[in-house]
Amino acid sequence: MTFDVRLRVNERVATIELAGELDASSAGRFHETIDEAAATGSIELVIRAEKLAYMSSAGLRSLVFARQKMGDDVRIAVVGATEPVAHTIRLAGFDHSIDLIDA
């Protein structure tokens, strides 16, 4: 499955939409997009994950990267994660560092 990532910024809220599989081969593109989002000075990062079918440990590391890159004052929410992706986030305990929200 191909990976797609899109960024849009509206009123200091950066929204990243993910689709496909987030793994070691696609994490670099996600990191580049996180860098772009961080450069906007946004106060919130929303990661739309409704179309994300799979997240590997590289994807989890990408969320850690997002937390570090955006800073502690920026709220990060993963919205609409599929059950396998939400399970991976919870299993790693990362749901304590971000908001995991149903769509």
Side-chain angles (χ1 to χ4, degrees):
M1 178 176 268
T2 61
F3 177 74
D4 190 34
V5 57
R6 296 171 194 252
L7 169 67
R8 61 185 155 85
V9 179
N10 187 17
E11 297 184 14
R12 300 191 69 200
V13 176
T15 302
I16 296 176
E17 296 178 14
L18 301 175
E21 297 182 353
L22 179 55
D23 57 18
S25 67
S26 56
R29 287 183 55 206
F30 185 37
H31 285 209
E32 291 170 5
T33 306
I34 292 167
D35 280 335
E36 292 175 33
T40 66
S42 294
I43 59 172
E44 183 174 358
L45 173 62
V46 177
I47 301 171
R48 304 291 311 202
E50 294 96 334
K51 296 179 182 175
L52 188 64
Y54 171 76
M55 176 183 287
S56 72
S57 59
L60 286 171
R61 286 192 298 275
S62 294
L63 292 179
V64 172
F65 176 77
R67 173 82 279 158
Q68 294 170 340
K69 191 71 180 183
M70 298 303 291
D72 291 336
D73 295 336
V74 175
R75 177 181 182 248
I76 298 178
V78 175
V79 177
T82 60
E83 185 48 39
V85 171
H87 179 74
T88 299
I89 292 170
R90 284 190 207 101
L91 195 62
F94 202 66
D95 55 321
H96 299 290
S97 299
I98 61 167
D99 294 328
L100 189 57
I101 301 169
D102 293 334

Coordinates of all heavy atoms in Angstrom, one line a residue:
M1 N 0.9 -1.2 0.0 CA 0.0 0.0 0.0 C 0.9 1.2 0.0 O 1.9 1.3 0.7 CB -0.9 0.0 1.2 CG -1.8 1.2 1.3 SD -3.0 1.1 2.7 CE -4.3 0.4 1.9
T2 N 0.6 2.2 -0.8 CA 1.4 3.4 -0.9 C 1.1 4.3 0.3 O 0.0 4.2 1.0 CB 1.0 4.2 -2.2 OG1 -0.3 4.6 -2.1 CG2 1.4 3.4 -3.4
F3 N 2.0 5.2 0.6 CA 1.9 6.1 1.7 C 1.7 7.5 1.1 O 2.3 7.9 0.2 CB 3.2 6.1 2.5 CG 3.2 7.1 3.7 CD1 2.4 6.9 4.8 CD2 3.9 8.2 3.6 CE1 2.4 7.8 5.9 CE2 3.9 9.1 4.6 CZ 3.2 8.9 5.8
D4 N 0.8 8.3 1.8 CA 0.5 9.6 1.4 C 0.4 10.5 2.6 O -0.1 10.1 3.6 CB -0.8 9.7 0.6 CG -0.9 11.1 -0.1 OD1 0.1 11.7 -0.5 OD2 -2.0 11.6 -0.2
V5 N 1.0 11.7 2.5 CA 1.0 12.6 3.7 C 0.7 14.0 3.1 O 1.3 14.4 2.1 CB 2.3 12.6 4.5 CG1 3.5 12.8 3.6 CG2 2.2 13.5 5.7
R6 N -0.2 14.7 3.7 CA -0.5 16.1 3.3 C -0.6 17.0 4.5 O -1.1 16.6 5.6 CB -1.9 16.1 2.6 CG -1.9 15.3 1.3 CD -3.3 15.1 0.8 NE -3.3 14.1 -0.2 CZ -3.4 14.3 -1.5 NH1 -3.6 15.6 -1.9 NH2 -3.4 13.3 -2.4
L7 N -0.2 18.2 4.3 CA -0.2 19.2 5.4 C -1.0 20.4 5.0 O -0.9 20.9 3.9 CB 1.3 19.7 5.7 CG 1.4 20.9 6.6 CD1 0.9 20.6 8.1 CD2 2.8 21.4 6.6
R8 N -1.8 20.9 5.9 CA -2.5 22.1 5.7 C -2.5 22.9 7.1 O -2.5 22.2 8.1 CB -3.9 22.0 5.2 CG -4.9 21.2 6.0 CD -6.2 21.1 5.2 NE -6.9 19.9 5.7 CZ -7.7 19.9 6.8 NH1 -7.9 21.0 7.5 NH2 -8.3 18.8 7.2
V9 N -2.4 24.2 7.0 CA -2.4 25.0 8.2 C -3.5 26.0 8.1 O -3.7 26.7 7.1 CB -1.0 25.7 8.4 CG1 -1.0 26.6 9.6 CG2 0.1 24.7 8.4
N10 N -4.3 26.1 9.2 CA -5.4 27.0 9.3 C -5.4 27.6 10.7 O -5.6 26.9 11.7 CB -6.7 26.3 8.9 CG -7.8 27.3 8.8 OD1 -7.6 28.5 8.7 ND2 -9.0 26.8 8.9
E11 N -5.2 28.9 10.8 CA -5.3 29.6 12.1 C -4.5 29.0 13.2 O -5.0 28.6 14.2 CB -6.8 29.8 12.5 CG -7.6 30.6 11.5 CD -9.0 30.8 12.0 OE1 -9.3 30.6 13.2 OE2 -9.8 31.3 11.2
R12 N -3.2 28.7 12.9 CA -2.2 28.2 13.8 C -2.5 26.8 14.2 O -2.0 26.3 15.2 CB -2.0 29.1 15.0 CG -1.5 30.5 14.6 CD -1.1 31.4 15.7 NE 0.1 30.8 16.2 CZ 0.6 31.1 17.5 NH1 -0.1 31.9 18.3 NH2 1.7 30.5 17.9
V13 N -3.3 26.1 13.5 CA -3.5 24.6 13.7 C -3.0 23.9 12.4 O -3.5 24.1 11.3 CB -5.0 24.3 13.9 CG1 -5.2 22.8 14.0 CG2 -5.5 25.0 15.2
A14 N -2.0 23.1 12.6 CA -1.4 22.3 11.5 C -2.1 21.0 11.5 O -2.2 20.3 12.5 CB 0.1 22.1 11.7
T15 N -2.6 20.6 10.4 CA -3.2 19.3 10.2 C -2.5 18.5 9.2 O -2.2 18.9 8.1 CB -4.7 19.4 9.7 OG1 -5.4 20.3 10.7 CG2 -5.4 18.1 9.6
I16 N -2.1 17.3 9.6 CA -1.4 16.3 8.7 C -2.3 15.2 8.5 O -2.8 14.5 9.5 CB 0.0 15.8 9.4 CG1 0.9 17.0 9.5 CG2 0.6 14.8 8.5 CD1 2.2 16.7 10.2
E17 N -2.6 14.9 7.2 CA -3.4 13.7 6.9 C -2.5 12.6 6.4 O -1.7 12.8 5.5 CB -4.4 14.1 5.8 CG -5.4 15.2 6.3 CD -6.4 15.6 5.2 OE1 -6.5 14.9 4.1 OE2 -7.0 16.6 5.4
L18 N -2.7 11.4 7.0 CA -1.9 10.3 6.7 C -2.7 9.2 6.0 O -3.9 9.0 6.4 CB -1.2 9.7 7.9 CG -0.3 10.6 8.7 CD1 0.2 9.8 10.0 CD2 0.9 11.0 7.9
A19 N -2.2 8.5 5.0 CA -2.9 7.4 4.4 C -1.9 6.3 4.0 O -0.8 6.7 3.6 CB -3.6 7.9 3.1
G20 N -2.3 5.1 4.1 CA -1.4 4.0 3.7 C -0.7 3.4 4.9 O -1.4 3.2 6.0
E21 N 0.5 3.1 4.8 CA 1.3 2.4 5.8 C 2.5 3.3 6.2 O 3.3 3.7 5.4 CB 1.8 1.1 5.3 CG 0.7 0.1 5.0 CD 1.2 -1.2 4.5 OE1 2.4 -1.4 4.3 OE2 0.3 -2.1 4.4
L22 N 2.6 3.6 7.5 CA 3.7 4.4 8.1 C 4.7 3.4 8.7 O 4.5 2.8 9.7 CB 3.1 5.4 9.1 CG 4.2 6.3 9.8 CD1 5.0 7.1 8.8 CD2 3.5 7.2 10.8
D23 N 5.8 3.3 7.9 CA 6.8 2.3 8.4 C 8.2 3.0 8.1 O 8.3 4.2 7.8 CB 6.7 1.0 7.7 CG 6.7 1.1 6.2 OD1 7.1 2.1 5.6 OD2 6.2 0.1 5.5
A24 N 9.2 2.2 8.2 CA 10.6 2.7 8.0 C 10.8 3.4 6.6 O 11.5 4.3 6.4 CB 11.6 1.6 8.2
S25 N 10.1 2.8 5.6 CA 10.3 3.4 4.2 C 9.5 4.7 4.0 O 9.8 5.5 3.1 CB 9.8 2.3 3.2 OG 8.4 2.1 3.3
S26 N 8.5 5.0 4.8 CA 7.7 6.2 4.7 C 7.9 7.2 5.8 O 7.5 8.4 5.6 CB 6.2 5.8 4.6 OG 5.8 5.1 5.7
A27 N 8.6 6.8 6.9 CA 8.7 7.7 8.0 C 9.5 9.0 7.6 O 9.2 10.1 8.2 CB 9.4 7.0 9.2
G28 N 10.4 8.9 6.7 CA 11.1 10.1 6.3 C 10.2 11.2 5.7 O 10.4 12.4 6.1
R29 N 9.3 10.8 4.9 CA 8.3 11.8 4.4 C 7.5 12.4 5.5 O 7.2 13.6 5.5 CB 7.4 11.1 3.3 CG 8.2 10.8 2.0 CD 7.3 10.3 1.0 NE 6.1 11.1 0.7 CZ 5.0 10.6 0.2 NH1 4.9 9.3 0.0 NH2 4.0 11.4 0.0
F30 N 7.1 11.6 6.5 CA 6.3 12.1 7.6 C 7.2 13.1 8.4 O 6.7 14.2 8.8 CB 5.8 11.0 8.4 CG 4.9 11.3 9.6 CD1 4.0 12.4 9.4 CD2 5.0 10.7 10.8 CE1 3.1 12.7 10.5 CE2 4.1 11.0 11.8 CZ 3.2 12.0 11.7
H31 N 8.5 12.8 8.6 CA 9.4 13.7 9.4 C 9.5 15.0 8.6 O 9.5 16.1 9.3 CB 10.7 13.0 9.5 CG 10.8 12.0 10.6 ND1 11.9 11.7 11.3 CD2 9.8 11.1 11.0 CE1 11.6 10.7 12.1 NE2 10.4 10.3 12.0
E32 N 9.6 15.0 7.3 CA 9.7 16.2 6.5 C 8.5 17.1 6.7 O 8.6 18.3 6.9 CB 9.9 15.9 5.1 CG 11.3 15.3 4.7 CD 11.4 14.8 3.3 OE1 10.4 15.0 2.5 OE2 12.4 14.2 3.0
T33 N 7.3 16.4 6.7 CA 6.1 17.2 6.9 C 6.0 17.7 8.3 O 5.5 18.8 8.5 CB 4.9 16.2 6.6 OG1 5.1 15.7 5.3 CG2 3.6 17.0 6.6
I34 N 6.4 17.0 9.3 CA 6.5 17.5 10.7 C 7.4 18.7 10.8 O 7.0 19.7 11.4 CB 6.9 16.4 11.7 CG1 5.9 15.3 11.8 CG2 7.2 17.0 13.1 CD1 6.3 14.0 12.4
D35 N 8.5 18.7 10.1 CA 9.4 19.8 10.1 C 8.7 21.0 9.5 O 8.8 22.2 10.0 CB 10.7 19.5 9.2 CG 11.7 18.7 10.0 OD1 11.7 18.8 11.2 OD2 12.5 18.0 9.3
E36 N 8.0 20.8 8.4 CA 7.2 21.9 7.8 C 6.1 22.5 8.8 O 5.9 23.7 8.9 CB 6.5 21.4 6.5 CG 7.5 21.1 5.4 CD 6.7 20.5 4.2 OE1 5.6 20.9 3.9 OE2 7.3 19.7 3.5
A37 N 5.5 21.5 9.5 CA 4.4 22.0 10.4 C 5.0 22.8 11.6 O 4.5 23.8 12.0 CB 3.7 20.7 11.0
A38 N 6.2 22.3 12.1 CA 6.8 23.0 13.2 C 7.3 24.4 12.8 O 7.2 25.3 13.6 CB 8.1 22.2 13.7
A39 N 7.7 24.6 11.5 CA 8.1 25.9 11.0 C 7.0 26.9 10.9 O 7.2 28.1 10.9 CB 8.8 25.7 9.7
T40 N 5.7 26.4 11.0 CA 4.6 27.4 10.9 C 4.3 28.1 12.2 O 3.5 29.0 12.2 CB 3.3 26.6 10.4 OG1 2.9 25.7 11.4 CG2 3.6 25.9 9.1
G41 N 4.9 27.6 13.3 CA 4.6 28.2 14.6 C 3.2 27.8 15.1 O 2.6 28.5 15.9
S42 N 2.7 26.7 14.7 CA 1.3 26.3 15.1 C 1.3 26.0 16.6 O 2.2 25.6 17.2 CB 0.9 25.0 14.3 OG 0.8 25.3 12.9
I43 N 0.1 26.1 17.2 CA -0.1 25.9 18.6 C -0.8 24.5 18.8 O -0.9 24.0 19.9 CB -1.0 26.9 19.2 CG1 -2.3 27.0 18.6 CG2 -0.2 28.3 19.3 CD1 -3.3 28.0 19.3
E44 N -1.2 23.9 17.7 CA -1.8 22.5 17.8 C -1.4 21.8 16.5 O -1.4 22.3 15.4 CB -3.3 22.6 17.9 CG -4.0 21.3 18.0 CD -5.5 21.5 18.3 OE1 -6.0 22.6 18.4 OE2 -6.1 20.4 18.4
L45 N -1.1 20.5 16.7 CA -0.9 19.6 15.5 C -1.9 18.5 15.6 O -2.0 17.7 16.6 CB 0.5 19.0 15.6 CG 0.9 17.9 14.5 CD1 0.8 18.5 13.1 CD2 2.2 17.3 14.8
V46 N -2.7 18.4 14.5 CA -3.7 17.4 14.4 C -3.3 16.4 13.3 O -3.0 16.8 12.2 CB -5.1 17.9 14.0 CG1 -6.1 16.8 13.8 CG2 -5.6 18.9 15.1
I47 N -3.2 15.1 13.7 CA -2.8 14.1 12.8 C -4.0 13.3 12.5 O -4.5 12.5 13.3 CB -1.6 13.2 13.3 CG1 -0.4 14.1 13.7 CG2 -1.2 12.1 12.4 CD1 0.7 13.4 14.5
R48 N -4.5 13.4 11.3 CA -5.7 12.7 10.8 C -5.2 11.3 10.4 O -4.4 11.2 9.4 CB -6.4 13.4 9.7 CG -6.8 14.8 10.0 CD -7.9 14.9 11.0 NE -9.1 14.1 10.8 CZ -10.3 14.3 11.2 NH1 -10.5 15.4 12.0 NH2 -11.3 13.5 11.0
A49 N -5.7 10.2 11.0 CA -5.2 8.9 10.7 C -6.3 7.9 10.3 O -6.1 6.7 10.3 CB -4.5 8.4 12.0
E50 N -7.4 8.5 9.8 CA -8.5 7.6 9.4 C -8.1 6.6 8.3 O -8.6 5.5 8.2 CB -9.7 8.4 8.9 CG -10.4 9.2 10.0 CD -9.9 10.6 10.1 OE1 -8.8 10.9 9.7 OE2 -10.7 11.5 10.6
K51 N -7.2 7.1 7.4 CA -6.8 6.3 6.3 C -5.5 5.6 6.4 O -4.9 5.1 5.5 CB -6.8 7.1 5.0 CG -8.2 7.7 4.7 CD -8.1 8.6 3.5 CE -9.5 9.1 3.2 NZ -9.5 10.1 2.1
L52 N -4.9 5.6 7.7 CA -3.7 5.0 8.0 C -3.9 3.5 8.4 O -4.5 3.3 9.4 CB -2.9 5.7 9.1 CG -1.5 5.3 9.4 CD1 -0.6 5.6 8.2 CD2 -1.0 6.0 10.6
A53 N -3.5 2.6 7.5 CA -3.8 1.2 7.8 C -2.8 0.5 8.7 O -3.2 -0.5 9.4 CB -3.8 0.5 6.4
Y54 N -1.6 1.0 8.8 CA -0.6 0.3 9.6 C 0.4 1.3 10.1 O 0.8 2.3 9.4 CB 0.1 -0.7 8.7 CG 1.3 -1.3 9.3 CD1 1.2 -2.3 10.3 CD2 2.6 -1.0 8.9 CE1 2.3 -2.9 10.8 CE2 3.7 -1.6 9.5 CZ 3.6 -2.5 10.4 OH 4.7 -3.1 11.0
M55 N 0.9 1.1 11.3 CA 2.0 1.9 11.9 C 3.0 1.0 12.5 O 2.7 0.3 13.5 CB 1.4 2.9 12.9 CG 2.5 3.7 13.6 SD 1.9 4.8 14.9 CE 1.1 6.1 13.9
S56 N 4.2 1.0 12.1 CA 5.3 0.2 12.6 C 6.0 1.0 13.8 O 5.6 2.1 14.1 CB 6.3 -0.1 11.5 OG 7.0 1.0 11.2
S57 N 7.0 0.3 14.3 CA 7.8 1.0 15.4 C 8.4 2.3 14.8 O 8.6 3.3 15.5 CB 8.8 0.1 15.9 OG 9.7 -0.3 14.9
A58 N 8.7 2.3 13.5 CA 9.2 3.6 12.9 C 8.2 4.7 12.9 O 8.5 5.8 13.1 CB 9.7 3.3 11.5
G59 N 6.9 4.3 12.8 CA 5.9 5.2 12.9 C 5.7 5.8 14.3 O 5.5 7.0 14.5
L60 N 5.9 4.9 15.3 CA 5.9 5.4 16.7 C 7.0 6.4 16.9 O 6.8 7.4 17.6 CB 5.9 4.2 17.6 CG 4.7 3.4 17.8 CD1 5.0 2.1 18.6 CD2 3.6 4.1 18.4
R61 N 8.2 6.0 16.4 CA 9.3 7.0 16.6 C 9.0 8.3 15.9 O 9.4 9.4 16.4 CB 10.6 6.3 16.0 CG 11.2 5.2 16.9 CD 12.6 4.8 16.5 NE 12.6 4.3 15.1 CZ 12.4 3.0 14.8 NH1 12.1 2.1 15.7 NH2 12.5 2.6 13.6
S62 N 8.2 8.3 14.8 CA 7.8 9.5 14.2 C 7.0 10.4 15.1 O 7.1 11.6 15.1 CB 7.1 9.2 12.9 OG 8.0 8.6 12.0
L63 N 6.1 9.7 15.9 CA 5.3 10.5 16.8 C 6.1 11.1 17.9 O 5.9 12.2 18.4 CB 4.2 9.6 17.4 CG 3.1 9.1 16.4 CD1 2.1 8.2 17.2 CD2 2.4 10.3 15.8
V64 N 7.1 10.3 18.3 CA 8.1 10.9 19.3 C 8.8 12.1 18.7 O 9.0 13.1 19.4 CB 9.1 9.8 19.8 CG1 10.2 10.4 20.7 CG2 8.4 8.7 20.5
F65 N 9.2 11.9 17.5 CA 9.9 13.0 16.8 C 9.0 14.3 16.7 O 9.4 15.4 16.9 CB 10.3 12.6 15.3 CG 10.8 13.7 14.5 CD1 12.2 14.1 14.7 CD2 10.1 14.3 13.5 CE1 12.7 15.1 13.9 CE2 10.6 15.3 12.7 CZ 11.9 15.7 12.9
A66 N 7.7 14.0 16.4 CA 6.7 15.1 16.4 C 6.6 15.8 17.7 O 6.6 17.0 17.8 CB 5.3 14.6 15.9
R67 N 6.6 15.0 18.8 CA 6.5 15.6 20.1 C 7.7 16.5 20.4 O 7.6 17.6 20.9 CB 6.4 14.4 21.2 CG 6.4 14.8 22.6 CD 5.1 15.3 23.1 NE 4.9 16.7 22.8 CZ 3.7 17.3 22.7 NH1 2.6 16.7 23.0 NH2 3.6 18.6 22.3
Q68 N 8.9 16.0 20.1 CA 10.1 16.7 20.3 C 10.2 17.9 19.4 O 10.6 19.0 19.9 CB 11.3 15.8 20.1 CG 11.4 14.7 21.1 CD 12.5 13.7 20.7 OE1 12.9 13.6 19.6 NE2 12.9 12.9 21.7
K69 N 9.8 17.8 18.2 CA 10.0 18.9 17.2 C 9.0 20.0 17.5 O 9.3 21.2 17.4 CB 9.8 18.3 15.8 CG 10.1 19.3 14.7 CD 11.6 19.4 14.6 CE 12.0 20.4 13.5 NZ 13.5 20.5 13.4
M70 N 7.7 19.7 17.9 CA 6.7 20.7 18.1 C 6.8 21.4 19.4 O 6.4 22.5 19.6 CB 5.3 20.0 17.9 CG 5.0 19.4 16.6 SD 5.1 20.6 15.2 CE 3.7 21.7 15.5
G71 N 7.4 20.7 20.4 CA 7.6 21.3 21.7 C 6.5 20.9 22.6 O 5.4 20.5 22.2
D72 N 6.7 21.0 23.9 CA 5.8 20.6 24.9 C 4.5 21.5 25.0 O 3.5 21.1 25.5 CB 6.4 20.6 26.3 CG 7.4 19.5 26.4 OD1 7.3 18.5 25.7 OD2 8.3 19.6 27.3
D73 N 4.6 22.7 24.5 CA 3.5 23.6 24.6 C 2.5 23.4 23.4 O 1.4 24.0 23.4 CB 3.9 25.1 24.5 CG 4.8 25.4 25.7 OD1 4.6 24.8 26.8 OD2 5.6 26.3 25.6
V74 N 2.8 22.6 22.5 CA 1.9 22.3 21.3 C 1.1 21.0 21.6 O 1.7 20.0 21.9 CB 2.7 22.2 20.0 CG1 1.8 21.8 18.9 CG2 3.5 23.4 19.7
R75 N -0.2 21.2 21.5 CA -1.0 20.0 21.7 C -0.9 19.1 20.4 O -1.0 19.7 19.3 CB -2.5 20.4 21.9 CG -3.5 19.3 22.0 CD -4.9 19.8 22.1 NE -5.8 18.7 22.3 CZ -6.7 18.4 21.4 NH1 -6.9 19.1 20.3 NH2 -7.5 17.3 21.6
I76 N -0.8 17.8 20.6 CA -0.7 16.9 19.5 C -1.9 15.9 19.6 O -2.0 15.3 20.7 CB 0.6 16.1 19.4 CG1 1.7 17.1 19.1 CG2 0.5 15.1 18.2 CD1 3.1 16.5 19.1
A77 N -2.7 15.8 18.6 CA -3.8 14.9 18.6 C -3.8 14.0 17.4 O -3.6 14.5 16.3 CB -5.2 15.6 18.7
V78 N -4.0 12.7 17.7 CA -4.1 11.7 16.6 C -5.6 11.4 16.5 O -6.2 10.9 17.5 CB -3.3 10.4 16.8 CG1 -3.6 9.4 15.7 CG2 -1.8 10.8 16.9
V79 N -6.2 11.8 15.4 CA -7.7 11.7 15.3 C -8.1 10.6 14.3 O -7.5 10.5 13.2 CB -8.3 13.0 14.8 CG1 -9.8 12.9 14.6 CG2 -7.9 14.1 15.8
G80 N -9.0 9.7 14.8 CA -9.6 8.7 13.9 C -8.7 7.6 13.5 O -8.9 6.9 12.5
A81 N -7.8 7.2 14.4 CA -6.9 6.1 14.1 C -7.7 4.8 14.0 O -8.6 4.6 14.8 CB -5.8 6.0 15.2
T82 N -7.4 4.0 13.1 CA -8.0 2.7 13.0 C -7.6 1.9 14.2 O -6.6 2.2 14.9 CB -7.5 1.9 11.7 OG1 -6.1 1.8 11.8 CG2 -7.9 2.7 10.4
E83 N -8.3 0.8 14.5 CA -8.1 0.1 15.7 C -6.6 -0.5 15.8 O -6.0 -0.4 16.8 CB -9.1 -1.0 16.0 CG -8.9 -1.7 17.3 CD -8.8 -0.8 18.5 OE1 -9.4 0.3 18.6 OE2 -8.0 -1.1 19.4
P84 N -6.1 -1.0 14.7 CA -4.7 -1.5 14.8 C -3.7 -0.4 15.1 O -2.8 -0.6 15.8 CB -4.5 -2.1 13.4 CG -5.8 -2.5 12.9 CD -6.7 -1.4 13.4
V85 N -3.9 0.7 14.5 CA -3.0 1.9 14.7 C -3.2 2.4 16.2 O -2.2 2.6 16.9 CB -3.2 3.0 13.7 CG1 -2.4 4.2 14.1 CG2 -2.8 2.5 12.3
A86 N -4.4 2.5 16.6 CA -4.7 3.0 18.0 C -4.1 2.0 19.0 O -3.5 2.4 20.0 CB -6.2 3.2 18.2
H87 N -4.2 0.7 18.7 CA -3.7 -0.3 19.6 C -2.2 -0.2 19.7 O -1.6 -0.3 20.8 CB -4.1 -1.7 19.1 CG -3.6 -2.8 19.9 ND1 -4.1 -3.2 21.1 CD2 -2.6 -3.7 19.7 CE1 -3.4 -4.2 21.6 NE2 -2.5 -4.5 20.7
T88 N -1.5 0.0 18.6 CA -0.1 0.2 18.6 C 0.4 1.4 19.4 O 1.3 1.3 20.2 CB 0.5 0.4 17.1 OG1 0.1 -0.8 16.4 CG2 2.0 0.6 17.1
I89 N -0.4 2.5 19.3 CA 0.0 3.7 20.1 C -0.2 3.4 21.6 O 0.6 3.8 22.4 CB -0.9 4.9 19.6 CG1 -0.5 5.3 18.2 CG2 -0.8 6.1 20.5 CD1 -1.4 6.3 17.5
R90 N -1.4 2.8 21.9 CA -1.6 2.5 23.3 C -0.6 1.5 23.9 O -0.2 1.6 25.0 CB -3.0 1.9 23.5 CG -4.1 2.9 23.4 CD -5.5 2.3 23.8 NE -6.5 3.0 23.1 CZ -7.2 2.6 22.0 NH1 -6.9 1.4 21.5 NH2 -8.1 3.4 21.5
L91 N -0.3 0.5 23.1 CA 0.7 -0.6 23.6 C 2.0 0.1 23.9 O 2.7 -0.4 24.9 CB 0.8 -1.6 22.5 CG 1.5 -2.9 22.8 CD1 0.6 -3.7 23.9 CD2 1.6 -3.8 21.6
A92 N 2.4 1.1 23.2 CA 3.7 1.7 23.4 C 3.6 2.8 24.6 O 4.6 3.3 25.0 CB 4.2 2.4 22.2
G93 N 2.3 3.0 25.0 CA 2.1 4.0 26.1 C 2.2 5.4 25.6 O 2.2 6.3 26.4
F94 N 2.2 5.6 24.3 CA 2.3 6.9 23.8 C 1.0 7.7 23.9 O 1.0 8.9 23.7 CB 2.8 6.9 22.3 CG 3.5 8.2 21.9 CD1 4.7 8.6 22.5 CD2 2.9 9.0 21.0 CE1 5.2 9.8 22.1 CE2 3.5 10.2 20.6 CZ 4.6 10.6 21.2
D95 N 0.0 7.1 24.2 CA -1.3 7.8 24.3 C -1.3 8.7 25.6 O -2.2 9.5 25.8 CB -2.5 6.8 24.4 CG -2.3 5.7 25.5 OD1 -1.2 5.3 25.7 OD2 -3.3 5.4 26.2
H96 N -0.3 8.6 26.4 CA -0.1 9.5 27.5 C 0.6 10.8 27.1 O 0.5 11.8 27.9 CB 0.7 8.8 28.7 CG 0.0 7.6 29.2 ND1 -1.2 7.6 29.9 CD2 0.3 6.3 29.0 CE1 -1.5 6.4 30.2 NE2 -0.7 5.5 29.6
S97 N 1.2 10.8 26.0 CA 1.9 12.0 25.5 C 1.2 12.8 24.5 O 1.5 13.9 24.2 CB 3.3 11.6 24.9 OG 4.1 11.0 25.9
I98 N 0.2 12.2 23.9 CA -0.6 12.8 22.9 C -2.1 12.5 23.2 O -2.4 11.7 24.0 CB -0.3 12.3 21.4 CG1 -0.6 10.8 21.4 CG2 1.1 12.6 21.0 CD1 -0.6 10.2 20.0
D99 N -3.0 13.2 22.5 CA -4.4 12.9 22.6 C -4.8 12.0 21.5 O -4.5 12.3 20.3 CB -5.2 14.2 22.5 CG -5.0 15.1 23.7 OD1 -4.7 14.6 24.8 OD2 -5.1 16.4 23.5
L100 N -5.4 10.9 21.9 CA -5.8 9.9 20.9 C -7.4 10.0 20.9 O -8.0 9.7 21.8 CB -5.4 8.5 21.3 CG -5.6 7.3 20.4 CD1 -4.9 7.6 19.0 CD2 -5.1 6.0 21.0
I101 N -7.9 10.5 19.7 CA -9.3 10.9 19.7 C -10.0 10.1 18.6 O -9.5 10.0 17.4 CB -9.4 12.4 19.4 CG1 -8.7 13.2 20.5 CG2 -10.9 12.8 19.2 CD1 -8.6 14.7 20.2
D102 N -11.2 9.5 18.9 CA -12.0 8.9 17.9 C -12.5 9.9 16.9 O -12.8 11.1 17.3 CB -13.1 8.1 18.5 CG -12.7 6.9 19.3 OD1 -11.6 6.4 19.1 OD2 -13.4 6.6 20.3
A103 N -12.7 9.5 15.7 CA -13.3 10.5 14.7 C -14.7 10.7 14.9 O -15.4 10.0 15.5 CB -13.0 10.0 13.3

